[in-house]
Amino acid sequence: MVFRLNEQAMREEYREKLLADQNLLNYQHMSDVSLLMIAVSVLMLLQHRFFPQEGELPEFTKFYVLLYGALAGLGILFVLVRGISRFSQKILSEPKKKMLLQLYLYLLATLFIGLTWVDIHYTMDLSGYIIIILFISTIIWQSARDFAIISGFSLLLLILSFLQVEPYHKIEFQNYIQAVIYYILSWVLYTSLFGVRTENFLNRIHLEGQYRMLESESATDPLTSLYNRRYMKEELQKELARSERSGRPFSIVLLDIDHFKKVNETYGHITGDDTLREMARILREAVRLSDKVFRFGGEEFLILLPESRGDEAFSLAERIREKVEHFPFTGLRRHLTISLGVAQSGEDSTMDYLISMADKGLYTAKKKGRNRVVRAGEGTDGESGD
């Protein structure tokens, strides 16, 4: 039941993030385990080399050395591959990361069951099987299907080991029962941890969604979905600081819809709101990904252009002006025009000064007949108006 509920709760858009989170956690755990496994394997190899157990057959000593050497080598290989992939320019996709991890787990399971097979010949010790079955149920975060396959694979290898040893050593029925009990115990541990991990993941996704929603509401204008004036001040201050550090200027464009009051008076406020939304879409589509568009207030908008000189901002403003002039706004039986003022940051620029310069350019554009772009300093004076 827990798996069905969790699968139903796991919406499609979350599955890729879930896989990425699983891979991140699993690779971190596997790296730590691999280092431990390397250290233990080296110690066991030294023990068999310098302090062999009494009565231990030479052929089985060779098996121990071979298996512990393989475990140490596999651990070293995993650490090296993960280290190279972290610094490589070619980043593996999440499904490929999972595939490599699964391959590593199957190799580990085979080697640990191999150790168990050797131990069975002496004391019926199932330590290797217990280690791998508890390892994959508690350390690794995976789906029920993946766990069922790899845990079943480990149990199958153990039973085959029993059958192979049977002609030489008597395998009691209770040994099979013991193996099955450990297998069931691994499922109990797995279901408990899977439920907790998945619930924590869903709770985090929910909290992140709420945070993004609150952040969006506090930073965007509800009508146009553009960034609002409060957020604009924060971004301008950041850009001023960045420009001061790098020595590279940036520019802003302040624009106003010409005679917008007549739109509301003639066509109504609903059409006026639709016009503002369409204007916002035009501006978003005209700028680069690194640029930001803000609703400055009413029918005024401000565009922030990082690392752009005034002439570049002027060219963009001119393209926007031409686009708006020929755009068929919904519900209007006439074309709209806009006036724009452009300002470039300087060494001692402040936010208020920069906005003031762009505003003077906007006022000059309106004073000269509207539907034009004016850069700050081109005979600008006064305040902007409709």
Side-chain angles (χ1 to χ4, degrees):
M1 175 63 90
V2 64
F3 303 115
R4 184 161 59 238
L5 289 174
N6 282 312
E7 286 297 327
Q8 290 173 350
M10 198 67 61
R11 294 168 54 186
E12 189 66 35
E13 65 258 35
Y14 298 153
R15 291 187 180 175
E16 185 175 347
K17 183 168 180 57
L18 174 64
L19 180 57
D21 279 21
Q22 287 176 336
N23 285 340
L24 179 62
L25 177 68
N26 291 340
Y27 271 81
Q28 288 175 343
H29 285 173
M30 289 298 282
S31 295
D32 295 337
V33 169
S34 295
L35 293 174
L36 178 62
M37 187 173 66
I38 293 168
V40 172
S41 297
V42 170
L43 288 175
M44 295 303 294
L45 287 171
L46 292 174
Q47 175 187 318
H48 283 284
R49 175 67 178 84
F50 297 106
F51 306 100
Q53 296 181 6
E54 292 186 14
E56 189 174 283
L57 298 177
E59 58 267 28
F60 289 116
T61 300
K62 293 179 181 179
F63 278 121
Y64 275 124
V65 172
L66 178 64
L67 290 168
Y68 280 120
L71 283 172
L74 188 61
I76 293 172
L77 181 62
F78 179 83
V79 172
L80 288 177
V81 169
R82 183 167 187 249
I84 292 172
S85 64
R86 290 176 64 183
F87 295 102
S88 174
Q89 295 295 325
K90 185 178 180 181
I91 301 176
L92 293 176
S93 65
E94 296 303 331
K96 287 184 178 179
K97 288 180 182 178
K98 179 182 177 181
M99 183 178 66
L100 288 175
L101 184 69
Q102 292 290 335
L103 176 61
Y104 184 45
L105 288 176
Y106 281 106
L107 291 174
L108 275 183
T110 302
L111 292 176
F112 272 102
I113 299 301
L115 287 173
T116 305
W117 172 78
V118 179
D119 289 336
I120 290 172
H121 284 271
Y122 292 102
T123 60
M124 283 304 302
D125 186 3
L126 302 183
S127 298
Y129 170 70
I130 294 172
I131 289 172
I132 193 63
I133 203 73
L134 295 182
F135 171 72
I136 60 178
S137 63
T138 58
I139 300 296
I140 304 301
W141 181 15
Q142 54 193 332
S143 68
R145 176 179 173 275
D146 293 331
F147 177 75
I149 293 174
I150 192 169
S151 62
F153 174 74
S154 302
L155 180 61
L156 176 62
L157 288 182
L158 179 64
I159 292 175
L160 291 176
S161 299
F162 282 166
L163 296 176
Q164 197 278 332
V165 172
E166 186 107 33
Y168 310 99
H169 298 277
K170 178 64 176 176
I171 305 297
E172 303 292 340
F173 180 71
Q174 66 183 22
N175 299 130
Y176 288 95
I177 297 298
Q178 187 181 22
V180 173
I181 289 175
Y182 284 129
Y183 178 74
I184 295 173
L185 176 61
S186 71
W187 269 102
V188 173
L189 293 173
Y190 169 78
T191 53
S192 300
L193 287 174
F194 179 85
V196 171
R197 285 169 172 167
T198 306
E199 184 177 358
N200 287 342
F201 172 79
L202 291 174
N203 287 338
R204 183 165 62 82
I205 288 294
H206 178 67
L207 290 174
E208 287 178 357
Q210 287 186 323
Y211 175 76
R212 285 194 298 270
M213 183 174 64
L214 291 173
E215 187 179 50
S216 176
E217 289 176 352
S218 66
T220 58
D221 170 59
L223 176 63
T224 62
S225 297
L226 297 176
Y227 294 119
N228 58 27
R229 189 163 181 163
R230 185 188 67 80
Y231 187 66
M232 177 204 72
K233 294 180 179 179
E234 296 178 8
E235 290 300 300
L236 277 177
Q237 292 289 7
K238 291 179 183 177
E239 196 58 41
L240 282 166
R242 186 182 298 115
S243 177
E244 184 177 352
R245 291 194 304 270
S246 65
R248 292 190 291 270
F250 69 95
S251 299
I252 64 170
V253 176
L254 185 63
L255 65 98
D256 180 270
I257 302 175
D258 296 328
H259 303 298
F260 184 72
K261 290 180 181 179
K262 292 182 180 179
V263 173
N264 285 328
E265 292 171 357
T266 305
Y267 302 100
H269 288 281
I270 294 178
T271 301
D273 289 346
D274 291 338
T275 300
L276 291 175
R277 281 190 282 265
E278 289 183 301
M279 179 65 69
R281 180 162 59 86
I282 292 172
L283 297 178
R284 279 197 299 265
E285 293 174 353
V287 300
R288 304 168 301 180
L289 291 177
S290 58
D291 302 333
K292 289 184 172 64
V293 184
F294 308 89
R295 187 180 182 191
F296 192 68
E299 65 273 18
E300 288 187 314
F301 301 87
L302 186 142
I303 305 173
L304 171 61
L305 306 169
E307 299 191 8
S308 295
R309 305 188 69 85
D311 53 349
E312 296 170 327
F314 183 90
S315 297
L316 172 66
E318 187 61 33
R319 291 196 299 272
I320 293 173
R321 185 195 65 77
E322 292 179 358
K323 173 70 174 177
V324 172
E325 185 179 13
H326 299 96
F327 188 84
F329 286 90
T330 304
L332 301 186
R333 293 189 294 274
R334 66 183 183 89
H335 289 287
L336 286 182
T337 61
I338 56 175
S339 300
L340 307 95
V342 176
Q344 176 185 306
S345 66
E347 292 184 2
D348 299 319
S349 293
T350 64
M351 180 180 65
D352 292 338
Y353 174 78
L354 199 59
I355 293 175
S356 174
M357 293 301 293
D359 189 57
K360 288 178 180 179
L362 172 59
Y363 174 77
T364 301
K366 287 184 174 294
K367 188 176 179 181
K368 290 183 176 182
R370 296 181 170 84
N371 190 26
R372 66 187 65 229
V373 182
V374 175
R375 287 187 59 176
E378 297 179 7
T380 58
D381 58 352
E383 301 296 332
S384 64
D386 184 65

